[in-house]
Amino acid sequence: MNRETSRVPAPLLLPAALGVAFLLLPLVGLLVRTPWSQLGNQLAAPGVGEALRLSLLSATLATALSLLLGVPLAWVLARSRARGVSVLRALVTVPLVLPPVVGGVALFLVLGRQGIVGSWLDDAFGITIPFTTAAVVIAETFVAMPFLVISVEGALRAADARFEDVAATLGAGRWTTFRRVTLPLVAPGVAAGAVLCWARALGEFGATITFAGNFPGTTQTMPLAVYLALQRDPEAAVVLSVVLLAVSLATLLLLRDRWLGRGAA
Amino acid sequence: MLAVLALVAGCSGEGADEDGGTLTVLAAASLTDVFDRLAERFREEHPGVDLRISYGGSDGLAVAITQGAPADVFASAAEEQMAVVTGAGLAAEPETFAGNVLTIAVPEGNPAGITGLADLAREELTLAVCAPEVPCGAAAGELLEVAGVQARPDTYEEDVRAALNKVGLGEVDAALVYATDVAARPDRVDGVEVPEADSVVNDYPVAVLDDAPNPAAARAFVDLLLSDEGREVLARAGFRAP
């Protein structure tokens, strides 16, 4: 441990320490101001458990959906030599820079009752997406998936392509190579991307409240509950934020130990 | 880095007379159109003053003021949020300058055929109301109770303009919003008159803040708002006289 620290060059140490302070002090501020005596009351308050459960469920579903669509997309971005891939890469990261509220409006224009796809879904199947839990998952996926795509693409680019070439010369088909060679090779990158994606989805606010609305039990996730509590009872909002933070930190630490192992961390 | 932050933070202007300096007004989102018009008039009369208006939810603005946001005037959409500021000893003697009532906003052409509050109980309807935590939501709850209507909202919106936007996009069949909000969007949104609305009137208070960096200009702005001219601009936007 000592040898490790002594290797950090001095010019990096000070900015690194400032960086830690910058990121952690607001958290400390939150913890200092938390009315701990109210914790029990707030947790027992109707709707809090519901909001927390909905948050965890929708963030997990959004991550699953992102993995399903995002990993193949990352592969295309990293490996395809087709023209226009760099433009495609820039386009799929648009949700990163788009204000989430605008993202929510954009989702309306596509999947809303009057939207391009949504009006067809409504006419043909009687399905309306806005103001449902499905809308929460869609909004979170829209905002969070680019994080996964970027991580996985980076891992794919860093991975040694010669393993894939060898697999091919040994007679493995492309799909087998992807499944048996590429995917295990970039597994830590996929896991890291999934964690980022999950965390972003868990904290999602703007696109969710716009596209999915806010209704206890179906679309009111923790960030929405925190925001509205802030209007009425700021102390309750602080307690709710700390609960969300604790649950997400615990989940991420647990997953890191189980999935990534110590070496990857 | 800290030096840069200090520099940025120190950028807000100084000044303290009726015809100079910066004047910062924090106003409820529902006042956007009226205050923009009054600001034009104010700038004509006081060309030396750099007038800046920031619009937002009254509750958020009240919190910002108690957290030390530098401002001269606060105009709230409800007395409750003004009470947060006066309660913290940051302003005294707010004056009521307007009242607002709720109405039903529907997408242009009223596709769901809504004629009154009773329709809001219809099950197949997609309905937006404001969250009970914000003024328009509290008013909506009160109004529905007075009318004895068991409405079935599909979403509790974070502020009145968010509710109105969902009507404008055609994603909800109806929303309970302020009459003035409907008046501000004549192209996309129609209003359905609600006879019961008069029983729940939201009063709008305004106050010069005690720590106002520019109290003279602040007073001049409030006087303009309370003048006959201000009343007329408010009335044209659909506000009631206090």
Side-chain angles (χ1 to χ4, degrees), chain A residues 10-84:
Chain A
L12 296 185
L13 205 56
L14 184 65
L18 277 177
V20 170
F22 181 67
L23 293 177
L24 289 191
L25 280 181
L27 181 61
V28 172
L30 211 53
L31 291 176
V32 168
R33 286 291 296 276
T34 303
W36 295 105
S37 56
Q38 281 189 28
L39 194 63
N41 282 342
Q42 291 295 345
L43 280 179
V48 171
E50 217 172 40
L52 193 58
R53 201 162 46 242
L54 183 67
S55 279
L56 294 173
L57 175 74
S58 54
T60 305
L61 287 175
T63 307
L65 192 58
S66 296
L67 281 167
L68 203 66
L69 305 175
V71 172
L73 175 57
W75 192 93
V76 170
L77 291 179
R79 293 281 191 265
S80 169
R81 292 195 184 81
R83 272 196 300 169

Side-chain angles (χ1 to χ4, degrees), chain A residues 22 105 108-109 112-115 130-131 209-216 227-232, chain B residues 1 5 59-60 63 81 107 126 131 133-134 153-159 166 169-173:
Chain A
F22 181 67
V105 173
F108 266 138
L109 299 179
R113 281 200 316 190
Q114 315 274 324
F131 313 116
I209 201 166
T210 306
F211 181 58
N214 168 53
F215 195 87
Y227 178 79
L228 287 164
L230 205 54
Q231 327 259 334
R232 181 196 57 219
Chain B
M1 189 180 74
L5 287 179
D59 19 63
V63 169
Q81 281 69 31
T126 312
E133 287 87 348
V134 298
D154 293 87
T155 174
Y156 293 100
E157 294 295 302
E158 80 270 28
D159 64 42
K166 284 180 176 135
L169 285 164
E171 294 299 337
V172 297
D173 299 307

Side-chain angles (χ1 to χ4, degrees), chain A residues 89-99 142 146:
Chain A
R89 179 181 304 115
L91 288 178
V92 299
T93 52
V94 159
L96 290 180
V97 289
L98 202 65
F142 179 75

Side-chain angles (χ1 to χ4, degrees), chain B residues 16-21 45-49 214 216-217:
Chain B
D17 69 280
E18 197 180 319
D19 282 313
E45 285 174 15
H46 307 273
V49 177
N214 199 347

Side-chain angles (χ1 to χ4, degrees), chain B residues 66-93:
Chain B
T66 57
Q67 294 293 323
D72 299 283
V73 174
F74 175 44
S76 165
E79 276 161 351
E80 197 186 334
Q81 281 69 31
M82 183 56 88
V84 170
V85 173
T86 52
L90 297 169
E93 297 172 22

Side-chain angles (χ1 to χ4, degrees), chain A residues 198-254:
Chain A
W198 186 80
R200 179 66 187 86
L202 194 68
E204 216 302 304
F205 173 78
T208 307
I209 201 166
T210 306
F211 181 58
N214 168 53
F215 195 87
T218 49
T219 62
Q220 188 181 71
T221 56
M222 279 297 269
L224 274 55
V226 169
Y227 178 79
L228 287 164
L230 205 54
Q231 327 259 334
R232 181 196 57 219
D233 181 0
E235 289 202 329
V238 171
V239 173
L240 293 181
S241 314
V242 169
V243 169
L244 181 62
L245 272 173
V247 171
S248 49
L249 275 179
T251 312
L252 293 178
L253 288 175
L254 200 78

